[in-house]
Amino acid sequence: MASDSTDILGIEIPSTDPIFIGVIVGIHIPLGLACVVAGAVAMLSEKRRGRHSAAGKVYYWCLFALFASATFLSVVRWAENYHLFILGALSFASAWFGRRALRHRWPYWARLHITGMGLSYVLMLIAFYVDNGKQLPLWKDLPHFMYWLAPLAAGVPFIIWALLRHPLARKPSLP
């Protein structure tokens, strides 16, 4: 471990600054975990008002806050983290797009919603693995490009499956 980093549960944090560490431990990690759980609940719930929409709302707003904390963390270490800012921006933009398609019932809104929300989840996971994969068991033995490719290879088939399976996504929904 470098002298200008902090070890937390075996993960090297590339800073000793207490504010940076505080944002990571107190805000960023809990928000990331909330996004993973809420997103999974939304994905696995029946697609209707209730559990799906409640979990989706939690996912969306936690992702917004996660992107805000990632923006702060990226700005502080821009040269090393600008790519994480870009991934965070793309993740939140995808969720915003998916949510907007649903709320405004755009043509083909169900397809756009599934694609936007699913892609936002995949991009969030890519950001996590790109940043932390080199320190995680099993992942650390993979080549770096797999931190980008593995979440895509796992997530995109699920998005396609949902697009082919969900009745609202299968039929045209023009206004």
Side-chain angles (χ1 to χ4, degrees):
M1 182 172 77
S3 63
D4 59 344
S5 64
T6 305
D7 183 275
I8 299 176
L9 300 174
I11 301 290
E12 184 179 346
I13 309 297
S15 178
T16 57
D17 181 273
I19 295 172
F20 189 86
I21 301 298
V23 169
I24 287 177
V25 173
I27 298 171
H28 195 69
I29 292 171
L31 285 169
L33 291 171
C35 284
V36 168
V37 171
V41 169
M43 282 186 273
L44 298 173
S45 296
E46 188 175 339
K47 307 306 179 248
R48 59 182 174 85
R49 293 208 184 272
R51 181 178 294 162
H52 173 74
S53 57
K57 193 176 294 185
V58 169
Y59 171 76
Y60 180 82
W61 289 111
C62 285
L63 185 65
F64 173 74
L66 183 67
F67 173 53
S69 68
T71 299
F72 168 78
L73 295 168
S74 295
V75 167
V76 171
R77 296 176 32 87
W78 188 255
E80 299 85 6
N81 290 344
Y82 72 90
H83 63 290
L84 297 172
F85 169 78
I86 292 168
L87 285 167
L90 290 172
S91 177
F92 182 70
S94 295
W96 178 86
F97 177 82
R99 186 172 193 252
R100 191 138 175 104
L102 168 70
R103 293 174 68 101
H104 294 280
R105 292 296 201 256
W106 291 346
Y108 306 103
W109 67 267
R111 296 173 191 171
L112 298 173
H113 176 70
I114 290 167
T115 302
M117 299 308 279
L119 189 58
S120 76
Y121 196 84
V122 169
L123 287 164
M124 177 188 64
L125 292 177
I126 290 172
F128 171 77
Y129 288 118
V130 165
D131 193 36
N132 299 294
K134 62 189 170 291
Q135 301 180 68
L136 299 174
L138 302 175
W139 286 86
K140 65 183 175 185
D141 298 326
L142 297 174
H144 184 76
F145 76 89
M146 290 300 292
Y147 305 153
W148 297 79
L149 185 60
L152 273 173
V156 169
F158 281 112
I159 295 169
I160 293 169
W161 178 76
L163 290 170
L164 294 173
R165 181 182 157 272
H166 197 282
L168 291 175
R170 289 195 323 237
K171 68 178 183 177
S173 55
L174 294 173

